[in-house]
Amino acid sequence: MTEIRIRNFINGQFVEPLSAQYLDNIEPATGEPYSQVADSDEHDVDAAVAAAEEAFGEWSRVAANERAKLLLRIADLIDRDLEKLARAESIDTGKPITLSRTLDIPRAAANFRFFATAILHVQNEAHVTDNLALNYTLRQPRGIAGLISPWNLPLYLLSWKIAPALACANTIVAKPSELTPMTAFMLCELAHEAGLPPGVLNVVQGTGPRVGAAITAHPKINTISFTGGTVTGRKVAEAGAALFKKISLELGGKNPTIVFADADLNAALSGSVRASFANQGQVCLCGSRLYVERAIYDEFVHGFIDKASKLKQGDPLDESTEQGAIVSKTQLEKIRFYVDLAQREGGNIALGGAAPEPPNARCRDGFFFQPTVITGLPPSCRTNSEEIFGPVVSIMPFESEEEVVSYANDCEYGLSSSIWTQNLNRAHRIAEQIHAGTVWINCWLLRDLRVPFGGMKQSGVGREGGEEALRFFTEAKNVCIAK
Ligand code: NAP
């Protein structure tokens, strides 16, 4: 399989990286290389920018309904290739194929459909200034957008950026994570087949420090949409700020799940197990700090461990697998480090804490870790403050609303939170007080593409989704006509 070569997509063609260098692309479930990915550098980014610049003139004049048709065609092609894409993503990321098939890939198609149709409903504002003037707002494409995405939901998150950028008539230079390049590569084939003009979408594969940094620093890329870790986000912000770029940063999280004694216990257990372990805990929105009201703490922990211990770990390509592989050896080592740290900080490993037996011979060198539950940690220790990004959750009791709100907010991150209670007044009261961009009540990961999405504090700057994305990828210009 290593003869598969994931090349760059520049000016409508798949091309070798200029250096002719490739990196091994490792399958997390086996620990073995299964393809090669272009190890591009700033020269490839220059070539992609030149193509994007050349294409911009014509693309920016394509009528919105023609752009919409192209995006809808891409969505249809994603649907057509659902099975192929789901399998590729599962191999690339280590996530269970059922998750790719039912969530990630359909959501990528939904992103294209959403922005294809949204762009047809944009309203322009007009303001009459007494009897002096009429002002109207023109929203114009910004030019070349640099889109950088992480490995955990590779096609979904990249399409969440590509679709609005194209809908708003920008051209694109994108970089997926070097760990999970396959679905972006396949998307380029589909975009080409759909008839997207050459140069409108360019994808440069390779590492963050070489390709990502070159995109961020490129003077002709004036818009950067970045999703990834907070440390990398800071570098992107610093480089972009020096050139006054418009930047959206979707960063890490350490999300609290809060369960009150009056919650529907079964729903709270199922919801919080899912929130803790979906995609092996490698979703930025996963709940990794779980606060349970004292009155039901023992019963809840017992039920939680029971449910989590029944999650079926296995080969990601196996239809019955619920927990697949961790994305890389480095990520696995990071998880191990935090589980050791939790013990040094006084935590008790109530479930998991180690690698499982390999599920089959194919996966004997894969990167697996058990769903892990830690109890007994103080709320403010490192394990409860730093993002682990793995199947590790810390459960703690609380006594009062006031106390749990202070625990939830005592954190540098502010991405999301979920609250389980039957008391509607309390739900509203707490939602208002939690420092997070999204607060779910009695649910988790329920997404409406129209709502603003993003984080507070170190979880990010800016909002994506719906109207916010359309505004981000356009420049507002006021035209003032004197009466
Ligand atoms: P990461 O290491 O920050 O990487 C994100 C992207 O940035 C990758 O494509 C990476 O390339 C690239 N990159 C690395 N160094 C760069 C640099 N100096 N300049 C520009 N780009 C650079 O994050 P990750 O480990 O892939 O993803 C996990 C993180 O993403 C977690 O913190 C998670 O919470 C966060 N995340 C946030 C959201 C959200 O919506 N808020 C959603 C998903 C994930 P390479 O991978 O090729 O090095």
Side-chain angles (χ1 to χ4, degrees):
M1 280 274 262
T2 49
E3 71 275 9
I4 301 172
R5 289 200 143 187
I6 297 174
R7 291 174 293 163
N8 294 328
F9 185 69
I10 297 177
N11 208 18
Q13 294 188 321
F14 287 102
V15 293
E16 302 285 329
L18 292 167
S19 66
Q21 297 301 305
Y22 282 82
L23 300 162
D24 279 343
N25 183 24
I26 310 286
E27 179 178 359
T30 64
E32 298 292 331
Y34 85 98
S35 65
Q36 301 253 299
V37 57
D39 184 10
S40 314
D41 59 27
E42 73 273 21
H43 302 298
D44 302 284
V45 172
D46 285 342
V49 170
E53 191 177 27
E54 170 73 26
F56 179 71
E58 213 163 301
W59 177 244
S60 63
R61 289 191 294 275
V62 170
N65 69 331
E66 292 303 319
R67 297 198 303 274
K69 276 189 213 160
L70 278 166
L71 296 190
L72 289 172
R73 224 172 281 151
I74 295 174
D76 288 345
L77 293 175
I78 294 175
D79 284 348
R80 183 198 68 190
D81 286 359
L82 170 71
E83 204 47 46
K84 238 162 70 179
L85 286 160
R87 188 177 166 82
E89 195 196 54
S90 174
I91 293 171
D92 225 19
T93 59
K95 80 175 51 170
I97 188 164
T98 51
L99 194 61
S100 293
R101 186 189 293 129
T102 56
L103 200 83
D104 298 42
I105 308 301
R107 281 191 177 197
N111 287 340
F112 278 100
R113 275 196 189 100
F114 177 84
F115 286 107
T117 49
I119 198 68
L120 302 178
H121 300 273
V122 172
Q123 297 189 350
N124 292 339
E125 305 98 279
H127 302 278
V128 177
T129 314
D130 302 317
N131 60 354
L132 295 174
L134 166 69
N135 297 272
Y136 65 90
T137 308
L138 270 183
R139 295 198 184 270
Q140 299 176 308
R142 289 182 48 81
I144 307 174
L147 312 179
I148 303 176
S149 59
W151 46 259
N152 61 332
L153 304 151
L155 188 62
Y156 170 60
L157 288 174
L158 194 59
S159 59
W160 179 241
K161 299 179 185 303
I162 289 177
L166 292 182
C168 294
N170 299 278
T171 54
I172 290 171
V173 176
K175 188 201 103 62
S177 170
E178 111 223 15
L179 297 176
T180 55
M182 186 55 100
T183 46
F185 179 62
M186 294 167 79
L187 179 68
C188 295
E189 285 175 338
L190 299 183
H192 186 64
E193 187 181 341
L196 199 69
V200 170
L201 169 66
N202 304 277
V203 173
V204 183
Q205 304 275 2
T207 66
R210 276 146 72 94
V211 178
I215 289 175
T216 313
H218 203 292
K220 290 191 171 167
I221 297 180
N222 64 1
T223 310
I224 301 281
S225 174
F226 171 87
T227 300
T230 296
V231 172
T232 319
R234 185 168 292 117
K235 288 184 198 161
V236 170
E238 281 167 4
L243 295 166
F244 304 106
K245 298 190 181 205
K246 191 173 186 184
I247 304 181
S248 161
L249 300 169
E250 299 291 349
L251 308 177
K254 186 77 184 175
N255 310 305
T257 304
I258 302 172
V259 182
F260 285 93
D262 67 3
D264 171 336
L265 192 62
N266 282 335
L269 280 169
S270 304
S272 56
V273 165
R274 189 168 155 256
S276 303
F277 301 118
N279 195 27
Q280 300 74 248
Q282 301 168 123
V283 178
C284 55
L285 303 162
C286 272
S288 49
R289 301 181 281 149
L290 177 45
Y291 302 101
V292 182
E293 194 166 2
R294 175 78 71 187
I296 58 159
Y297 180 78
D298 291 339
E299 184 188 2
F300 187 90
V301 171
H302 185 267
F304 188 92
I305 289 174
D306 183 53
K307 266 193 189 304
S309 64
K310 289 182 180 143
L311 290 170
K312 183 165 182 291
Q313 282 201 278
D315 186 332
L317 292 177
D318 184 332
E319 293 291 330
S320 63
T321 293
E322 293 169 303
Q323 289 284 290
I326 303 300
V327 74
S328 67
K329 197 165 180 214
T330 311
Q331 192 63 21
L332 182 64
E333 278 160 8
K334 184 179 172 199
I335 293 165
R336 283 210 178 99
F337 167 83
Y338 276 104
V339 171
D340 288 347
L341 177 70
Q343 287 168 288
R344 291 201 302 279
E345 291 186 313
N348 162 50
I349 309 293
L351 179 74
E357 285 297 310
N360 57 25
R362 186 183 101 82
C363 296
R364 69 175 173 268
D365 295 321
F367 313 133
F368 292 88
F369 203 81
Q370 295 166 329
T372 296
V373 178
I374 301 168
T375 55
L377 282 171
S380 58
C381 64
R382 273 185 72 190
T383 312
N384 281 327
S385 310
E386 297 174 16
E387 188 186 43
I388 302 174
F389 220 53
V392 181
V393 64
S394 162
I395 313 189
M396 290 153 283
F398 69 88
E399 309 288 346
S400 68
E401 251 181 66
E402 198 186 13
E403 183 187 25
V404 78
V405 168
S406 76
Y407 290 159
N409 287 341
D410 183 21
C411 180
E412 291 182 340
Y413 294 106
L415 189 56
S416 71
S417 171
S418 76
I419 299 166
W420 298 82
T421 177
Q422 305 262 39
N423 180 334
L424 191 59
N425 293 344
R426 169 191 280 153
H428 286 301
R429 207 161 49 232
I430 300 212
E432 223 174 83
Q433 296 175 69
I434 297 281
H435 303 157
T438 299
V439 179
W440 280 292
I441 313 285
N442 296 327
C443 60
W444 178 74
L445 209 64
L446 199 70
R447 295 272 288 118
D448 182 320
L449 297 181
R450 290 168 298 184
V451 304
F453 175 83
M456 294 181 177
K457 303 193 274 191
Q458 301 215 4
S459 290
V461 176
R463 289 289 177 274
E464 299 191 352
E467 187 69 19
E468 306 277 347
L470 298 178
R471 292 199 168 206
F472 177 73
F473 284 111
T474 49
E475 193 80 84
K477 179 190 283 178
N478 177 49
V479 180
C480 175
I481 312 167
K483 277 194 182 169

